[in-house]
Amino acid sequence: MAATQLYMYLVLSSTFYACSPGTTGEDCVERCGHCAEGRSLCDKTSGHCPERKPRCMPGFSGVKCDTACTRGTYGPDCEKRCGNCVDGPSRCDPTSGHCPTGVFRCISGFSGLKCITACAPRTYGLDCEGRCEHCAGNRTACDITSGQCPEATPRCQPGYSGQKCDAECIPGKHGPDCAEICGFCAQGKTACSPISGYCPEREPRCLKGYYGPKCDLDSPSASSLLSVIVGSVAGGCAILIIIFVVVVVLVRSRRKKRATDTKPSGPKRMENHNRPVPTVFTHRVEFYGDRAHFASRPNGQNNEEYNHGASFEARDNVSYA
């Protein structure tokens, strides 16, 4: 009987004292926190949300997901940092991370709902609403915070000056950084184009004594033209004289060379190497008793080397030379 009563007590306790979904704690008087998978899924005894990633809904953190994000954080489990809100990074929405809406939402250099997107090229300033379009060399790298163009020479495109190159040239100046002065336009020195420096195309375009699209070139005077003409003529004459002298020297040189080549040099001995050299003979007559021997030999040879003779009988009344 006692055992039966105990069993019935336990059944009734579990039936009447079990917490309903979304409640927890003793007597089920506490409500579950902002669990990422729903407020009805917390532990009915401890109230803890399931240990998953993320554990809590955006804007909350903690084991029970009942703690709101601290200033400057947002999102699930409060793990994200607020962007560059103009009112400070602690002012973003803890759930979405959006910066408050106002005249400007973001500080200089950033844009977007969360103010985490850097300015695109040629934009700068609050919410990236500033434009930097006149940096020299068509540069797009102006400072996204201040809008200043890079420090270079020149810094700005023709017709503009200043650190941001957003100031147009004052009348009378033109060119990059507005560093050049207008020429002598007929309508006045302040009438030239601030970009090209050209004077208006009207008649007359330039003041007397000047010409060119910028009216910055001096017109040559009559005396200057005369000087140029005289100088040109003198220079031409000098060149002609030099050419004449060179021609005369060349002609005389050629004549002198021709005269030297045709001058007689006296009789020359003609030699014929194919003609035989004559041989000179020496003759003698030798007497041997009543006989005479005639012998001859070339000069330079002895009798043994060359001995041609003829013997003949000596006779009376014969003379030999």
Side-chain angles (χ1 to χ4, degrees):
M1 182 65 180
T4 302
Q5 290 177 349
L6 179 60
Y7 174 76
M8 292 298 295
Y9 173 79
L10 293 175
V11 171
L12 291 172
S13 298
S14 61
T15 300
F16 292 102
Y17 291 96
C19 292
S20 61
T23 61
T24 183
E26 189 177 353
D27 298 332
C28 301
V29 295
E30 298 181 16
R31 295 190 60 82
C32 290
H34 300 272
C35 300
E37 298 183 358
R39 302 189 66 174
S40 62
L41 296 179
C42 74
D43 185 270
K44 298 183 183 303
T45 303
S46 64
H48 292 180
C49 291
E51 293 186 6
R52 297 174 184 176
K53 200 69 174 176
R55 188 173 200 169
C56 306
M57 292 181 178
F60 297 91
S61 64
V63 293
K64 295 182 179 182
C65 297
D66 56 353
T67 303
C69 291
T70 59
R71 300 182 70 176
T73 62
Y74 74 97
D77 298 332
C78 303
E79 291 184 346
K80 295 185 178 181
R81 304 288 299 178
C82 290
N84 302 281
C85 304
V86 71
D87 295 329
S90 62
R91 297 297 303 276
C92 79
D93 184 90
T95 302
S96 64
H98 293 178
C99 292
T101 303
V103 178
F104 293 103
R105 186 191 293 266
C106 308
I107 64 174
S108 293
F110 296 91
S111 64
L113 296 175
K114 297 179 181 180
C115 299
I116 58 176
T117 304
C119 291
R122 295 188 179 182
T123 62
Y124 72 96
L126 299 170
D127 293 340
C128 301
E129 292 187 356
R131 303 286 298 178
C132 49
E133 298 179 333
H134 303 293
C135 297
N138 201 23
R139 297 198 225 8
T140 60
C142 71
D143 187 270
I144 61 174
T145 302
S146 65
Q148 294 183 3
C149 293
E151 293 185 6
T153 303
R155 188 173 199 167
C156 307
Q157 294 178 356
Y160 296 91
S161 64
Q163 293 181 335
K164 298 180 182 180
C165 298
D166 55 352
E168 294 185 358
C169 294
I170 61 174
K173 290 192 174 183
H174 70 94
D177 298 334
C178 302
E180 300 181 30
I181 300 176
C182 292
F184 296 89
C185 303
Q187 290 76 28
K189 298 192 67 173
T190 61
C192 79
S193 168
I195 297 176
S196 64
Y198 287 1
C199 293
E201 294 185 6
R202 300 174 185 175
E203 290 297 337
R205 187 174 196 172
C206 306
L207 294 177
K208 186 177 180 180
Y210 297 92
Y211 72 102
K214 297 182 180 180
C215 299
D216 56 350
L217 301 176
D218 294 336
S219 297
S221 60
S223 58
S224 300
L225 288 175
L226 181 60
S227 300
V228 172
I229 295 173
V230 171
S232 301
V233 172
C237 293
I239 294 174
L240 291 176
I241 292 173
I242 293 173
I243 294 174
F244 176 77
V245 171
V246 171
V247 171
V248 170
V249 171
L250 290 176
V251 170
R252 289 185 176 181
S253 177
R254 288 189 178 183
R255 288 180 178 177
K256 185 176 181 181
K257 183 178 180 181
R258 186 179 299 172
T260 303
D261 293 340
T262 57
K263 184 177 180 180
S265 57
K268 293 185 178 180
R269 183 178 180 182
M270 302 300 293
E271 295 183 357
N272 188 351
H273 296 284
N274 295 324
R275 181 179 178 183
V277 179
T279 303
V280 179
F281 289 85
T282 301
H283 306 281
R284 74 176 184 275
V285 178
E286 299 177 357
F287 293 92
Y288 298 95
D290 56 356
R291 298 183 64 86
H293 181 78
F294 177 81
S296 63
R297 63 178 178 84
N299 288 345
Q301 296 186 2
N302 54 31
N303 294 333
E304 288 76 10
E305 294 176 349
Y306 192 94
N307 190 6
H308 295 281
S311 298
F312 57 92
E313 184 174 339
R315 295 190 178 181
D316 297 335
N317 303 323
V318 177
S319 62
Y320 300 92

